[in-house]
Amino acid sequence: MDYDVIIIGAGLGGLVCANILAEKGFHVAIFEKKAAVGGCCTSFKRRGFTFDLSVQSIGGCRAGGRVWRLLGSLGLRDRIELLPLDRAREYHFPDRTIIQYAELNTHIEYLASLFPREQAGIKKIYQVYRSLAAEIDRFPHTLSWFDPSHVEREFPSIFQYREQTLQELLDAFIQDPVLKVILGVRSPIPSCRRASSP
Ligand SMILES: Cc1cc2nc3c(=O)[nH]c(=O)nc-3n(C[C@H](O)[C@H](O)[C@H](O)COP(=O)(O)OP(=O)(O)OC[C@H]3O[C@@H](n4cnc5c(N)ncnc54)[C@H](O)[C@@H]3O)c2cc1C
C-alpha cells in the first residue's frame, strides 16, 4: 500500500501530526513499536497503583489556549473533560516542599514570597517565558512564507534567545540553585489535568 506520509512513533507528537495530515487529505501510516499508543502520555499499573509514565498535567487547556485550540481543530474538545487545577504539582526537596500553582500570577507571587531576594529575577524569567510563549503561539504551521529577514521583526524574543540554553538564561538572573530547578521545569502556561486517568 502507498502512503503519502509515514510517521514513526505514536506518542502525542506523532498522533497529532497524523491527525492534522489526515484532515488535510494525506494518506498517513503510523508505526509504533509498543503495544499501546500514547508514548510518554500513558500509564502503567503495579501492585494496585496506577502510575503516569510522565505527563501529569497539560498547559494551554483553558479557553483560547494552545491545546484548547488544537483539541477544537481535531474535533476532540467535547470528548475530553479537562479539570482545572489549583496546584499543578509539588516538588519535594529534603528540606522543603514547593508548590507549583497552576495560575501563573499566583505562582509568581508565591515564588517571590519564598525567595524575596530573587524577586526581580523571577519576574524577568517569567517575562521572557511569556514573550516566548506568545510568539510560539502565533508561529505559523507552515514555513512556506519563510523569509529569514522577517524573523527578527516578527519574533523578537525567539530571535534574541535562539542560541541561549535555559541554563544560561537562569544563570543570568537567578542565584538560588533550588529556584533554578523550579524555574527550569515550570511551564509558562496554566495547567489542567485530564478528568479520568487511564
Ligand atoms: C518525567 C517527565 C514528565 C513529564 N511531564 C509532563 C507534563 O506533566 N505535562 C506535559 O505536557 N508534558 C510532560 N512531559 C513531556 C511529555 O511527556 C512529552 O513532551 C511528550 O509526551 C512527547 O511526545 P512525543 O510524541 O514527542 O514522544 P513520546 O511520547 O516519547 O512518543 C514516542 C513514541 O515513539 C515510539 N517509538 C520510538 N522509536 C520507535 C521506532 N524506532 N519505531 C516505532 N516506534 C518508535 C515510542 O514507543 C513512543 O510511543 C514530561 C516528560 C517527562 C520525561
Side-chain angles (χ1 to χ4, degrees), residues 4-79:
D4 301 311
V5 182
I6 289 178
I7 294 176
I8 311 294
L12 290 182
L15 291 171
V16 169
C17 285
N19 269 285
I20 291 172
L21 289 165
E23 281 284 313
K24 288 182 186 294
F26 290 96
H27 197 204
V28 184
I30 311 183
F31 290 90
E32 169 55 53
K33 67 179 177 183
K34 293 198 180 139
V37 300
C40 287
C41 193
T42 47
S43 308
F44 64 92
K45 284 197 191 305
R46 191 154 298 165
R47 293 183 194 164
F49 293 98
T50 302
F51 296 89
D52 292 331
L53 203 61
S54 71
V55 180
Q56 307 94 27
S57 61
I58 298 182
C61 295
R62 294 185 188 182
R66 207 177 320 170
V67 173
W68 185 87
R69 294 200 308 270
L70 180 66
L71 291 175
S73 67
L74 295 174
L76 295 174
R77 206 181 287 147
D78 297 335
R79 297 175 60 186

Side-chain angles (χ1 to χ4, degrees), residues 90-131:
E90 285 183 5
Y91 302 98
H92 295 269
F93 294 93
D95 61 336
R96 64 189 123 168
T97 294
I98 296 183
I99 298 159
Q100 180 183 306
Y101 287 99
E103 207 289 308
L104 191 51
N105 288 328
T106 307
H107 187 63
I108 293 171
E109 280 171 30
Y110 167 73
L111 284 184
S113 71
L114 290 184
F115 301 91
R117 287 189 195 159
E118 307 266 15
Q119 202 165 348
I122 293 168
K123 289 199 169 139
K124 176 66 190 171
I125 291 291
Y126 278 105
Q127 198 184 328
V128 175
Y129 282 175
R130 275 180 157 145
S131 59

